[in-house]
Amino acid sequence: MSAPTLNTVVPVLEVAQLVAGYVPGLPVVRGASLKLFAGEVLTVIGPNGSGKSTLLKAIMGLVGIASGSVRFAAQHIAGCPTHEIVLSGIGFVPQTANLFATLSVEDNLRAGGHLVRSELGERLERTYAIFPALAQKRRDKARTLSGGQRQMLAIARALMTNPRLLILDEPTAGLAPQVIGEVFEQLKSLADSGVAVLLVEQNAKAALRQSDRGLVLVEGCNRIEGAASALLADEEVIAAFLGRGDRRGSRTALVEAVSP
């Protein structure tokens, strides 16, 4: 994967100076900006409470936006209803409540594709081709799947609308280490097929290794951004997130590291 040339390619997603939150006048996201191109993986990392998940929800129309802009495929989508955002070509995998546990694998996929009913059969077969393990369990209840299989199902359900952009909130939360690698490999494969991938992830090192670029969000603002390889080698990011350095907690370490 390699980042496209900025001067010749229109971003799939462009967020500019976004201010958003759950209560009017109390923003959680405070001026965040990002660009994402087709076939690219961008990982957002940061301390707990830094606004990472709120940023994703604001893009998806699930959280109120006070100011700033969100453009998808050069079209303004800030303030649009969530179902219209999904129809425009964005798939979203939330961290929790991303499946119907009592429904079968196939019924979950059908629910994900309810907006494209005329192409449902074709979409199902294509999804099973990407996730053959799910095809073998198509009649099983989602609650009987392993953690990794459930996460794959959540991703597969979001892909039923054939999105140009896939947004994921903590896709590896609670998964075994060996399964985490499988999830990231699948996301990399999707990006290689041309899908733009935006994810929030606490497993920073593993995510950045499979990403083109990274963004560190602190207190709702951009603090560090650049090539994923550069972030993996950045001493401030290493100290805060990647396993060595200051032990006082990632939030304190990073805020102090980047403060004037």
Side-chain angles (χ1 to χ4, degrees):
M1 296 177 291
S2 58
T5 303
L6 298 186
N7 293 330
T8 60
V9 180
V10 175
V12 172
L13 177 69
E14 184 171 7
V15 177
Q17 296 298 312
L18 193 67
V19 176
Y22 303 90
V23 179
L26 295 174
V28 177
V29 178
R30 304 174 183 180
S33 300
L34 62 86
K35 290 182 180 181
L36 181 61
F37 298 87
E40 189 177 37
V41 180
L42 172 62
T43 294
V44 181
I45 63 175
N48 291 334
S50 62
K52 305 183 298 296
S53 295
T54 304
L55 172 61
L56 301 189
K57 291 175 182 177
I59 293 170
M60 292 303 302
L62 297 168
V63 171
I65 295 175
S67 62
S69 64
V70 181
R71 292 167 66 93
F72 172 67
Q75 301 297 314
H76 290 283
I77 62 170
C80 290
T82 300
H83 72 276
E84 292 184 7
I85 293 173
V86 172
L87 272 176
S88 73
I90 302 179
F92 180 48
V93 182
Q95 181 180 356
T96 59
N98 54 23
L99 292 175
F100 296 107
T102 60
L103 295 184
S104 68
V105 166
E106 183 152 314
D107 284 343
N108 267 279
L109 294 177
R110 288 181 177 276
H114 75 281
L115 295 175
V116 289
R117 293 177 183 174
S118 62
E119 303 175 21
L120 194 54
E122 178 185 341
R123 299 282 177 93
L124 279 170
E125 292 311 310
R126 184 169 56 198
T127 299
Y128 286 139
I130 298 172
F131 301 93
L134 296 181
Q136 298 171 8
K137 294 181 173 292
R138 66 176 68 193
R139 304 303 178 197
D140 295 357
K141 302 293 186 185
R143 66 188 177 196
T144 69
L145 302 179
S146 68
Q149 290 170 337
R150 286 196 298 270
Q151 193 59 44
M152 291 299 185
L153 177 56
I155 295 171
R157 194 174 75 159
L159 293 176
M160 285 293 292
T161 56
N162 196 28
R164 294 178 58 190
L165 167 62
L166 182 63
I167 298 177
L168 308 99
D169 191 0
E170 302 279 6
T172 68
L175 298 184
Q178 65 270 23
V179 179
I180 289 173
E182 295 176 11
V183 172
F184 285 132
E185 283 295 327
Q186 188 63 61
L187 295 178
K188 181 178 181 296
S189 177
L190 290 171
D192 289 342
S193 73
V195 178
V197 178
L198 172 64
L199 67 147
V200 159
E201 185 55 66
Q202 286 290 346
N203 195 336
K205 186 181 293 186
L208 289 172
R209 283 174 175 164
Q210 298 289 356
S211 301
D212 295 290
R213 292 185 295 113
L215 167 64
V216 179
L217 204 66
V218 177
E219 297 182 348
C221 305
N222 294 35
R223 286 300 179 93
I224 305 173
E225 56 186 306
S229 57
L231 266 63
L232 283 166
D234 188 294
E235 288 298 324
E236 295 168 358
V237 177
I238 291 171
F241 296 106
L242 304 184
R244 64 179 177 83
D246 196 319
R247 298 302 183 189
R248 291 170 293 168
S250 61
R251 184 182 183 90
T252 301
L254 187 61
V255 170
E256 292 186 357
V258 298
S259 296

